[in-house]
């Protein structure tokens, strides 16, 4: 095989790779911005909730290259909060951090029209925007670099 043929296939492979990374970054950024724009409705009441339970589920994945099992864990956090004269228990919080422990206090925003429903604290979502931006930069930078070098090679 000629060297130019190998280079041509390598070039196409890298273009496809960087295009996929760029597309991933754009899609990820779209959903991250949409998530960040989600606001707590003004009529929701900020309330302190207590973490009552953190369930840990073992998810096993197998690496196809060497067949070794890889343990991964999924955590579900449950909280309890009071609104009015009623206590709401075993409500799924929807967010987990390794620093969370049973008994910790977290903020929830309770819907006064349906106090058994709440939204959790939206802070910390900017991390998703950073991940999307990094993927976009890598994808666009890689494509730009490849195209620049290809044009330079032709000259």
């Amino acid at each position: 095989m000629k060297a130019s043929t190998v280079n041509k296939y390598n070039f196409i492979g890298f273009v496809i790779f960087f295009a996929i990374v760029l597309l991933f970054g754009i899609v990820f950024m779209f959903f991250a911005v949409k998530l960040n724009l989600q606001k707590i409705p003004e009529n929701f009441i900020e309330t302190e909730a207590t973490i009552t339970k953190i369930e840990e589920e073992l998810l096993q994945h197998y690496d196809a290259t060497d067949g070794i099992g890889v343990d991964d864990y999924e955590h579900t956090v449950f909280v309890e909060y009071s609104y009015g004269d009623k206590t709401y228990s075993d409500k799924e919080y929807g967010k987990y951090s390794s620093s969370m422990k049973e008994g910790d206090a977290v903020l929830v925003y309770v819907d006064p029209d349906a106090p058994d429903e709440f939204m959790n604290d939206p802070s910390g979502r900017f991390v998703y925007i950073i991940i999307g931006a990094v993927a976009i930069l890598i994808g666009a930078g890689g494509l730009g670099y490849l195209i620049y070098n290809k044009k330079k090679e032709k000259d």
Side-chain angles (χ1 to χ4, degrees):
M1 218 184 245
K2 293 190 283 185
S4 62
T5 308
V6 173
N7 287 338
K8 177 183 173 185
Y9 290 123
N10 283 344
F11 176 78
I12 291 170
F14 279 120
V15 167
I16 291 170
F17 171 76
F18 285 119
I20 289 171
V21 170
L22 178 62
L23 183 62
F24 167 79
I26 291 169
V27 170
F28 200 87
M29 182 70 90
F30 171 77
F31 286 108
V33 168
K34 186 177 176 183
L35 183 65
N36 259 319
L37 292 177
Q38 182 183 15
K39 300 280 186 218
I40 303 290
E42 288 183 21
N43 66 329
F44 278 39
I45 309 297
E46 183 179 296
T47 307
E48 188 174 279
T50 304
I51 296 174
T52 55
K53 179 173 41 174
I54 300 175
E55 290 182 353
E56 183 176 81
E57 181 182 348
L58 173 63
L59 307 171
Q60 278 202 317
H61 304 284
Y62 291 93
D63 187 342
T65 56
D66 58 14
I68 296 175
V70 178
D71 292 343
D72 194 13
Y73 296 92
E74 182 176 275
H75 296 86
T76 307
V77 178
F78 294 91
V79 297
E80 176 179 280
Y81 62 92
S82 296
Y83 181 78
D85 58 353
K86 190 167 181 193
T87 299
Y88 299 90
S89 301
D90 282 335
K91 304 297 288 181
E92 191 172 330
Y93 185 60
K95 212 162 98 162
Y96 172 75
S97 166
S98 60
S99 64
M100 290 178 164
K101 297 183 282 305
E102 291 181 12
D104 284 355
V106 292
L107 287 179
V108 295
Y109 297 85
V110 178
D111 182 352
D113 299 327
D116 62 325
E117 295 182 20
F118 69 90
M119 292 178 72
N120 59 22
D121 185 13
S123 65
R125 295 178 179 170
F126 68 93
V127 171
Y128 299 119
I129 290 178
I130 293 170
I131 293 170
V134 168
I136 288 171
L137 288 173
I138 291 170
L143 284 173
Y145 177 77
L146 289 173
I147 291 168
Y148 172 77
N149 278 341
K150 194 67 168 176
K151 284 183 180 179
K152 192 175 167 183
E153 198 176 276
K154 284 183 180 181
D155 292 339

